Amino acid sequence: NSVWVSTDHDEIEKVAKQFGAQVHRRSPEVSQDSSTSLEAIREFLNHHHEVDIVGNIQATSPCLHPSDLIKVADLIQKEGFDSVFSVVRRHQFRWSEVKKGENKMTEPQNLNPAKRYRRQDWPGELYENGSFYFAKRHLIEKGYLQGGKMAYYEMRAEHSVDIDIDIDWPIAEQRVLSFGYFGKEPLKEVKLLVCSIDGCLTNGRIYVTEDQKEMVSYDYRDLVGIDLLKKRGIQVRLISDRDCSKTLSAMQLGCIAKVSATNKLQVLEGWQKDIGLSWKEVAYLGNEESDVECLKKAGMSGVPADACAVAQKAAGYICKSSGGCGAIREFAEHIFLLLEKVNSARKQ
């Protein structure tokens, strides 16, 4: 019936409201590092007596789909369960832990080593994946998120992403691109990539010779990335707010370019309209304040790792590579993953 974000952070509140959520301002008492989700939910309920059922959706599980939540709500509202939580099926053999200094052997927990199952012959086990916990008010008021008449909801493995430590981030990013939920609007293929020259195609440095000639450096991997994009039918265009036409001519990239662009967004809008594309079909790679509005408009947006802070904030994807050091190639791979998602959706 309503979607709420519980936070004590001004910026999170602003973003939540931009996307249509209502905001509950957490008190300092339940905003500590040691605070639990249950404490925050109980505080919320104290302010919202009209709420009978709470679906606690974990922000660390970014592959959750609305269809799963609808089915879970039905389990509580129509089938009479008091609490429902998400699980995923794992095929992992467990062994007892032997702590350092203990003089004993490890023991199998869920297998017979003499008769090991093949993965395809073993049904596996159910593990909580932390995606969501639904519970009725009376349980939560007693201090439980799981209790009463309980049920689990088994999620698909590809949707079960749980971010706990830093190494989980790149895994989650790839999984979201392949299996994430992208809203009701149909996905569109990227048909145009516009790339800022200085700081993306190059590292932003300009070398000046004794005879006052300018030189820049670029990464061959980025040229390969541009070539791969073209082979996939994606146009690549370049833009710069300075006059670097001689440099572009020397590179022989074969891309349409606009230099001395005082208003990059105006140029981008002109290209978008001339080609007849929706914004979802346009990707943009930038790195400076002059790129921010373009990053916000484009359906896919990225910045190199060394982009300025405001550009990073506006972008949907931050490359691990710096400008002039493979960022275009990396962003191209990011686009290809999205295209795989589009093709997969069409087949379904």
Side-chain angles (χ1 to χ4, degrees), residues 197-216:
I197 297 169
D198 301 302
C200 291
L201 177 61
T202 73
N203 60 12
R205 295 178 180 176
I206 300 174
Y207 305 89
V208 182
T209 64
E210 290 183 356
D211 56 355
Q212 297 184 339
K213 290 183 178 180
E214 291 185 0
M215 294 189 301
V216 297

Side-chain angles (χ1 to χ4, degrees), residues 16-176:
K17 288 180 176 178
Q18 285 176 349
F19 282 87
Q22 299 178 71
V23 173
H24 170 76
R25 289 295 298 206
R26 271 191 211 187
S27 68
E29 289 75 24
V30 298
S31 300
Q32 308 301 314
D33 287 344
S34 57
S35 298
T36 66
S37 297
L38 182 59
E39 289 172 338
I41 294 169
R42 292 180 75 176
E43 180 189 72
F44 171 84
L45 286 178
N46 287 336
H47 291 84
H48 295 277
H49 299 287
E50 77 281 5
V51 176
D52 299 315
I53 300 167
V54 172
N56 177 36
I57 301 169
Q58 304 278 71
T60 48
S61 299
C63 262
L64 186 60
H65 284 234
S67 57
D68 289 328
L69 298 178
I70 292 168
K71 292 173 184 175
V72 171
D74 285 344
L75 285 173
I76 289 186
Q77 293 176 310
K78 297 178 181 179
E79 298 188 32
F81 287 97
D82 296 310
S83 61
V84 184
F85 54 93
S86 58
V87 300
V88 65
R89 191 171 298 275
R90 301 290 188 205
H91 295 78
Q92 296 169 325
F93 294 131
R94 291 180 288 106
W95 293 78
S96 63
E97 181 179 358
V98 178
K99 295 182 179 179
K100 190 174 181 179
E102 290 184 343
N103 186 23
K104 63 179 184 180
M105 295 187 300
T106 184
E107 297 288 339
Q109 299 290 300
N110 62 347
L111 77 152
N112 179 355
K115 297 181 180 179
R116 289 175 62 94
Y117 290 108
R118 295 188 309 162
R119 185 184 186 281
Q120 58 267 42
D121 296 331
W122 183 44
E125 297 179 327
L126 297 177
Y127 289 80
E128 285 188 31
N129 66 358
S131 228
F132 57 77
Y133 298 86
F134 276 63
K136 290 183 176 177
R137 171 186 277 273
H138 70 87
L139 273 178
I140 297 171
E141 289 176 339
K142 292 177 182 177
Y144 301 102
L145 277 175
Q146 295 161 299
K149 184 180 178 182
M150 288 186 289
Y152 62 77
Y153 180 85
E154 185 175 347
M155 288 178 59
R156 291 163 59 181
E158 58 266 32
H159 292 167
S160 297
V161 178
D162 188 20
I163 301 175
D164 282 327
I165 55 178
D166 288 349
I167 197 172
D168 292 332
W169 274 103
I171 296 171
E173 288 174 349
Q174 300 300 315
R175 195 79 69 85
V176 167

